[in-house]
Amino acid sequence: MPVKSIDHILPMRLFAPLAALSLLSLSVSQMLPTSAYATEPLYLYQDVIGGPYVDDWFISGHRATDAGLILQRQGKSGQWQAPVAVDCAARTLTVTGPGLRFEHSKLSKQQAQADIPTAVVSASIQALCSPQQSSAAQRPPINS
């Protein structure tokens, strides 16, 4: 009797677990609403600096869990970003780590917190704590 090769069985043993994992990840992503895991920057507020000059403020990250939220500014005052956390119950926005100005100048948490206008804090809380209202502010995507 000739001995049959098992080379054709091995790929099937590897394929089945991979196929199951991919189906599982597909079904989990379909259960979450798009806004829950959206990482695209969400427009928050336009701060008028003077004359025709403005700063646009955005927030990005995993908005459903508050994980990895980054507050960003683009405009006349230059690029700025800092990691933040929003407490909906206390209605606060807190800088959680050092920030960056102009993509290379580090800011302490205290400096970054002081740079955030009150209107941006309010807009952030409204956007993240009232999901039905967050789609009202529609702006073009942030230029990365």
Side-chain angles (χ1 to χ4, degrees):
M1 284 180 128
V3 177
K4 291 188 176 183
S5 170
I6 62 166
D7 291 340
H8 68 282
I9 297 174
L10 185 60
M12 288 305 289
R13 286 188 179 175
L14 293 175
F15 177 74
L18 291 175
L21 285 175
S22 65
L23 287 175
L24 178 63
S25 67
L26 179 63
S27 63
V28 168
S29 67
Q30 288 177 345
M31 290 187 298
L32 293 173
T34 305
S35 62
Y37 57 88
T39 56
E40 288 293 318
L42 175 68
Y43 172 77
L44 295 173
Y45 181 76
Q46 187 173 72
D47 192 14
V48 178
I49 303 304
Y53 304 112
V54 297
D55 286 337
D56 290 319
W57 290 83
F58 301 84
I59 198 158
S60 62
H62 198 284
R63 295 189 284 272
T65 62
D66 204 28
L69 289 177
I70 304 291
L71 186 63
Q72 303 168 331
R73 177 188 73 199
Q74 298 271 331
K76 176 65 177 168
S77 300
Q79 294 179 334
W80 180 98
Q81 68 179 28
V84 296
V86 173
D87 184 339
C88 292
R91 313 265 320 147
T92 60
L93 178 137
T94 307
V95 174
T96 59
L100 286 175
R101 184 179 290 145
F102 307 116
E103 295 184 8
H104 63 277
S105 298
K106 287 191 175 184
L107 299 169
S108 70
K109 288 193 309 187
Q110 294 80 11
Q111 289 172 318
Q113 188 77 46
D115 284 349
I116 304 171
T118 305
V120 173
V121 172
S122 297
S124 300
I125 293 167
Q126 180 178 358
L128 297 174
C129 300
S130 306
Q132 67 276 12
Q133 296 174 4
S134 66
S135 61
Q138 303 223 348
R139 293 291 280 179
I142 188 172
N143 294 333
S144 299

